Amino acid sequence: MGRIPKRSLAALFIIVNMLAVVACTTRIALSRSVHRHRPRLHRYARRHHSLSSKLSFPCPLWSSSFSLCLRHPRSSPTSRSLSATCSSASASTPPIAPRAPPMADAGVESNPLLRDFDFPPFDAVEAKHVRPGVLALLKNLESDLEELERTVEPSWPKLVEPLEKIVDRLTVVWGMINHLKAVKDTDELRAAIEEVQAEKVKFQLRLGQSKPIYNAFRALQESPDWNLLSDAQKRIVENQIKEAVLSGVALEDGKREEFNKIEQELEKLSKKFDENVLDATKKFEKKITDKKDIEGLPATALGLAAQTAVSKGHENATPEDGPWVITLDAPSFMSVMQHARNRALREEIYRAYVTRASSGDIDNTLIIDQILKLRLEKAKLLGYNNYAEVSMAMKMATVDKAEELLEKLRSASWDAAVQDMEDLKHFAKSQGAKESDDLSHWDISFWSERLRESKYDINEEELRPYFSLPKVTEGLFNLARTLFGIEIEAADGLAPVWNSDVRFYCVKDSSGNPIAYFYFDPYSRPSEKRGGAWMDEVVARSRVLSPDGASTRLPIAHMVCNQMPPVGTKPSLMTFREVETVFHEFGHALQHMLTKQDEGLVAGIRGIEWDAVELPSQFMENWCYHRDTLMGIAKHYETGESLPEDVYKKLLAARTFRAGSLSLRQIRFASIDLQLHTKYVPGGPESVYDVDQRVSERTQVLPPLAEDRFLCGFSHIFAGSSSYLSKRFFKMGRGAICRCFLCI
């Protein structure tokens, strides 16, 4: 296929980003956390004195897209009405979820995971609370499940509603724990989770493979009442039946036992994979003392490197005189790749990045092989040829159609990508670069930035002062008001948070009534927070989980990013790419928060085929190029000056810069995912790295290094809750809907 217009390539790039979701056989999890609207989350103590948690779960028991779902207890006489306090909340407002008192033995009665609260007590939960809290909860949930199985009937009140409540109770507690692991990781928390993980998965399997519940869903589908159900309710039933089968409900005893062992092991392996990536990222540090070695780095990058140095014990570090510490965290890594004139430094940092978690005691190689082996075994047990077919069973696409589309996109992008490389070589040569005839991976980003600056007269670093986080969020919220008629107000102090940088917001309709809430955790914290950007469901809209039996429980979301933090007295000054990321994640959050569907199992982002979830995020991201929107957020943080009109036009013109190369990058990720989950034979003649090299021959103009181990950091398909069951119930893997492979 010949070259195609760059505008068309831009459209293809969007398609590839969506396709990556189709191909992502392990589903880029929507990380599960928990929270709820007005009532107290835990009313369970009224029935079980040893446990004080009544969570309720609005998300489908066997949800194809999500596994989280939270609950909504009822408000006590002393409970505060969020609708009344939302607009007036401030930092001085006492937190609704009180901090747990000191506990010598972390006993059940005073355990913050089990106490009655309005918002998850993120500020009070510690590792010591995990084991006693989770075990107590599971004991009581087992009793509730037994009661449901004894009394279940093929009707909505006797089947779906009590099932939601059981699942939600665990989702709320486990969601808190797992969310904290994603944003505030510690060795103690890891160990605590490992202690109870097997029991948690055991209960999930017990619940997901309940034949009385499964049979009740089938009976409901075949009953006269079927035609009385709404379309949303029918979709819930159909999804539950399909996903129950994918969770092993129809397996014979021996095969079910084997299936369950696989699920337990996959949970452990995925958790370990994720921890290894984080540990490898944290482990690398490059201390620089000679200013010549960091020539080219912009002021923001120098400030971050000096700030990092201070955090590592170099108290006198300054942006001007150093020392400077470079890490593999995205803001630091990308600054070096794009701006460091020191080619040797770029090479060192690049090689460190693409070999993360591939050696020593944090080597993910064997973990990848074992994950792929177990996924294939699971697929065979379920009657599928491969694991990709299992993943596609709840999506719109099929394996064949995904592969067909990938090849069409690859063919359409190839010539443009080849030309991109030629343009880069010619430009580097014109600048007298010795490496111009032999560009390597650590040269591409650097010379791409120089070419873009030359071609469009745009310097991304010089644009940062126009994109301060406060102005960007203000403009984003104004856009939401224009498009959806909503108001977004700061509600800091209304809900406990896990870090002082986290913001909390209330979303109101045009009449001033609260309709949703969300947390926003914007900054990179490489010592404790996983990389990437994601939107996370905390609690979904639900009629069943109404706090008072009349109104509807309101949805709550997390938005988590990893952008440049404030440096010194300056606010967070963002690259345009970081601006796009915030808009992107907000698109996911809006779909979750603005839903009007009251059936919790299909409200918002729940129950949507995974190859369709990127539509709202892409929709919002595209507004970054809308003139009025962009000019509304692009204000110099010191002078208030608007972004010059000519710069806006240059940004617009540069939108399709190197679109062919960027498309191929996404296609590589999607293709290797499909290859590993369809044709790869664990233990066979090819290694996973051989497969990657083979795929890259057709998807990369510049093949990867022989020692490239990017797969060891490919968290989107190997980390998080790898088990299908965990995805159904409690998605705690990669961030909620995320920028798919763009996060890598």
Side-chain angles (χ1 to χ4, degrees):
M1 185 178 294
R3 294 185 64 186
I4 58 179
K6 286 192 173 181
R7 187 174 299 276
S8 299
L9 276 174
L12 285 178
F13 184 56
I14 292 176
I15 294 174
V16 174
N17 197 33
M18 293 172 59
L19 180 62
V21 181
V22 178
C24 195
T25 61
T26 58
R27 315 193 175 190
I28 310 165
L30 257 103
S31 132
R32 265 23 177 180
S33 298
V34 288
H35 172 185
R36 41 134 291 229
H37 172 43
R38 157 172 52 206
R40 288 201 145 66
L41 275 181
H42 298 331
R43 295 259 159 248
Y44 209 49
R46 294 184 179 178
R47 295 175 40 219
H48 301 289
H49 300 347
S50 64
L51 184 16
S52 63
S53 119
K54 169 148 195 166
L55 327 139
S56 297
F57 161 86
C59 168
L61 170 56
W62 298 297
S63 142
S64 75
S65 313
F66 303 132
S67 62
L68 58 134
C69 298
L70 318 190
R71 73 117 317 251
H72 222 150
R74 297 198 252 278
S75 198
S76 70
T78 59
S79 174
R80 173 186 315 209
S81 167
L82 296 189
S83 60
T85 61
C86 176
S87 61
S88 61
S90 68
S92 61
T93 304
I96 293 179
R99 181 177 296 276
M103 300 189 301
D105 58 356
V108 170
E109 292 183 2
S110 55
N111 194 312
L113 290 171
L114 304 175
R115 282 165 37 190
D116 194 16
F117 55 72
D118 286 278
F119 291 94
F122 289 118
D123 61 340
V125 175
E126 299 178 24
K128 65 183 180 181
H129 301 129
V130 173
R131 186 176 186 279
V134 172
L135 293 182
L137 177 62
L138 291 175
K139 180 179 179 181
N140 287 283
L141 289 180
E142 179 67 32
S143 174
D144 287 353
L145 177 55
E146 291 173 358
E147 176 67 16
L148 173 59
E149 289 178 327
R150 284 195 299 268
T151 61
V152 68
E153 296 178 11
S155 68
W156 213 255
K158 292 288 188 177
L159 170 61
V160 180
E161 294 179 6
L163 182 61
E164 288 187 2
K165 294 173 183 177
I166 289 175
V167 177
D168 191 73
R169 287 198 280 272
L170 180 55
T171 302
V172 171
V173 173
W174 193 257
M176 274 191 284
I177 296 166
N178 211 68
H179 176 69
L180 287 173
K181 184 178 183 297
V183 297
K184 198 174 182 180
D185 186 46
T186 65
D187 291 340
E188 293 77 16
L189 184 57
R190 290 183 184 185
I193 291 174
E194 187 173 353
E195 278 192 78
V196 297
Q197 183 169 270
E199 289 300 314
K200 185 268 301 182
V201 175
K202 181 180 177 181
F203 178 78
Q204 289 175 289
L205 290 164
R206 161 88 169 83
L207 179 61
Q209 296 169 357
S210 169
K211 288 192 175 180
I213 293 174
Y214 171 66
N215 291 335
F217 273 114
R218 294 192 62 180
L220 179 58
Q221 188 179 42
E222 297 167 2
S223 73
D225 290 341
W226 175 253
N227 292 326
L228 301 178
L229 298 181
S230 67
D231 289 342
Q233 290 173 324
K234 288 179 179 179
R235 183 171 178 84
I236 289 170
V237 174
E238 291 166 350
N239 282 351
Q240 307 293 2
I241 292 172
K242 290 178 184 178
E243 295 189 350
V245 173
L246 292 175
S247 296
V249 71
L251 296 177
E252 298 300 324
D253 291 345
K255 290 186 175 180
R256 187 185 307 119
E257 183 178 351
E258 184 180 354
F259 181 93
N260 290 352
K261 289 180 179 177
I262 290 173
E263 292 292 87
Q264 287 280 10
E265 188 62 22
L266 281 172
E267 190 83 3
K268 295 176 186 176
L269 291 169
S270 295
K271 176 176 175 288
K272 183 60 176 174
F273 184 100
D274 197 31
E275 291 171 354
N276 283 349
V277 175
L278 179 59
D279 288 346
T281 303
K282 289 194 299 184
K283 185 177 180 180
F284 180 87
E285 294 177 11
K286 173 69 174 179
K287 179 184 173 183
I288 298 175
T289 57
D290 190 339
K291 201 165 189 175
K292 292 181 180 179
D293 291 339
I294 55 166
E295 286 183 352
L297 288 188
T300 52
L302 292 174
L304 177 62
Q307 190 165 283
T308 303
V310 171
S311 71
K312 303 294 182 182
H314 306 285
E315 299 178 359
N316 298 320
T318 65
E320 297 77 18
D321 301 317
W324 305 271
V325 172
I326 304 298
T327 71
L328 298 183
D329 198 45
S332 179
F333 170 76
M334 288 307 301
S335 292
V336 172
M337 289 297 100
Q338 292 178 334
H339 302 292
R341 295 174 189 162
N342 184 340
R343 191 178 187 226
L345 175 64
R346 297 200 307 268
E347 178 179 358
E348 180 182 357
I349 301 302
Y350 179 84
R351 288 182 181 276
Y353 190 83
V354 298
T355 56
R356 285 181 305 162
S358 65
S359 63
D361 58 356
I362 51 174
D363 188 349
N364 276 336
T365 302
L366 294 180
I367 292 177
I368 292 173
D369 267 332
Q370 188 66 4
I371 286 175
L372 292 172
K373 175 178 177 291
L374 291 174
R375 286 178 180 171
L376 179 59
E377 290 177 4
K378 182 167 72 170
K380 298 289 188 180
L381 284 172
L382 293 173
Y384 290 90
N385 294 315
N386 53 61
Y387 186 76
E389 291 182 356
V390 175
S391 176
M392 297 293 188
M394 294 300 298
K395 296 174 183 172
M396 297 184 295
T398 63
V399 173
D400 289 343
K401 289 296 183 182
E403 291 178 334
E404 180 183 340
L405 179 57
L406 275 172
E407 177 54 28
K408 287 181 180 179
L409 293 171
R410 189 201 68 80
S411 298
S413 304
W414 183 263
D415 288 348
V418 170
Q419 187 59 51
D420 286 343
M421 182 62 73
E422 289 303 310
D423 292 345
L424 215 55
K425 289 180 178 179
H426 291 154
F427 177 75
K429 190 170 186 177
S430 72
Q431 301 300 302
K434 296 178 181 179
E435 67 270 20
S436 60
D437 292 327
D438 188 27
L439 293 181
S440 195
H441 298 276
W442 44 87
D443 301 316
I444 303 304
S445 292
F446 177 80
W447 286 111
S448 293
E449 277 303 299
R450 306 293 81 74
L451 176 57
R452 185 168 67 162
E453 292 168 1
S454 174
K455 187 173 183 178
Y456 301 103
D457 192 23
I458 289 180
N459 183 306
E460 190 170 75
E461 285 299 315
E462 292 178 0
L463 292 180
R464 279 187 187 268
Y466 289 96
F467 297 116
S468 66
L469 180 60
K471 284 294 183 183
V472 169
T473 53
E474 179 185 346
L476 178 59
F477 297 165
N478 287 339
L479 175 64
R481 179 193 304 119
T482 300
L483 294 177
F484 306 109
I486 59 176
E487 295 289 340
I488 299 174
E489 298 180 357
D492 300 307
L494 187 60
V497 295
W498 52 92
N499 184 281
S500 59
D501 290 330
V502 176
R503 300 296 308 277
F504 189 66
Y505 294 93
C506 175
V507 182
K508 295 183 176 182
D509 62 19
S510 57
S511 299
N513 300 312
I515 57 174
Y517 303 87
F518 69 97
Y519 300 84
F520 182 30
D521 185 353
Y523 308 132
S524 170
R525 295 190 300 275
S527 64
E528 64 177 11
K529 183 179 177 183
R530 92 167 30 126
W534 65 91
M535 170 267 167
D536 200 347
E537 177 181 339
V538 178
V539 63
R541 183 180 174 95
S542 174
R543 170 189 55 81
V544 172
L545 297 169
S546 165
D548 55 13
S551 60
T552 300
R553 182 179 74 172
L554 302 184
I556 302 171
H558 289 140
M559 276 176 56
V560 183
C561 295
N562 269 280
Q563 68 192 51
M564 180 84 73
V567 176
T569 59
K570 297 179 181 179
S572 175
L573 301 179
M574 306 166 67
T575 64
F576 189 67
R577 172 60 179 275
E578 289 174 337
V579 173
E580 289 181 293
T581 297
V582 171
F583 272 64
H584 181 106
E585 302 306 336
F586 193 60
H588 288 307
L590 285 174
Q591 183 179 23
H592 171 62
M593 296 189 293
L594 301 190
T595 181
K596 294 184 178 180
Q597 175 56 252
D598 289 341
E599 290 295 341
L601 303 183
V602 288
I605 51 182
R606 294 179 180 176
I608 296 175
E609 288 79 0
W610 207 250
D611 39 354
V613 295
E614 291 298 317
L615 288 173
S617 56
Q618 293 288 347
F619 171 78
M620 288 303 296
E621 187 175 330
N622 287 336
W623 284 97
C624 291
Y625 292 92
H626 179 250
R627 184 190 179 283
D628 290 347
T629 300
L630 184 62
M631 300 305 262
I633 65 176
K635 307 287 186 182
H636 196 284
Y637 80 100
E638 289 179 316
T639 67
E641 173 191 3
S642 295
L643 186 75
E645 181 71 25
D646 64 318
V647 176
Y648 162 70
K649 292 179 179 178
K650 292 171 184 175
L651 273 174
L652 205 60
R655 187 176 186 181
T656 57
F657 179 61
R658 293 179 56 78
S661 299
L662 293 174
S663 293
L664 282 186
R665 179 176 182 267
Q666 302 301 101
I667 292 167
R668 175 198 177 191
F669 298 151
S671 298
I672 186 64
D673 185 3
L674 279 173
Q675 284 285 315
L676 290 176
H677 290 96
T678 54
K679 299 178 176 61
Y680 174 67
V681 179
E686 269 193 321
S687 71
V688 291
Y689 307 123
D690 293 333
V691 176
D692 186 25
Q693 291 287 341
R694 175 164 51 79
V695 167
S696 296
E697 288 177 2
R698 292 176 52 78
T699 59
Q700 297 291 283
V701 176
L702 183 63
L705 301 174
E707 62 269 32
D708 187 302
R709 295 294 182 265
F710 117 86
L711 286 173
C712 286
F714 200 177
S715 297
H716 288 83
I717 66 173
F718 295 123
S721 293
S722 62
S723 76
Y724 194 88
L725 243 138
S726 290
K727 290 181 181 16
R728 291 171 42 202
F729 295 107
F730 317 95
K731 270 202 181 131
M732 4 192 182
R734 298 305 293 171
I737 315 185
C738 167
R739 226 184 191 350
C740 199
F741 303 119
L742 288 178
C743 294
I744 297 169

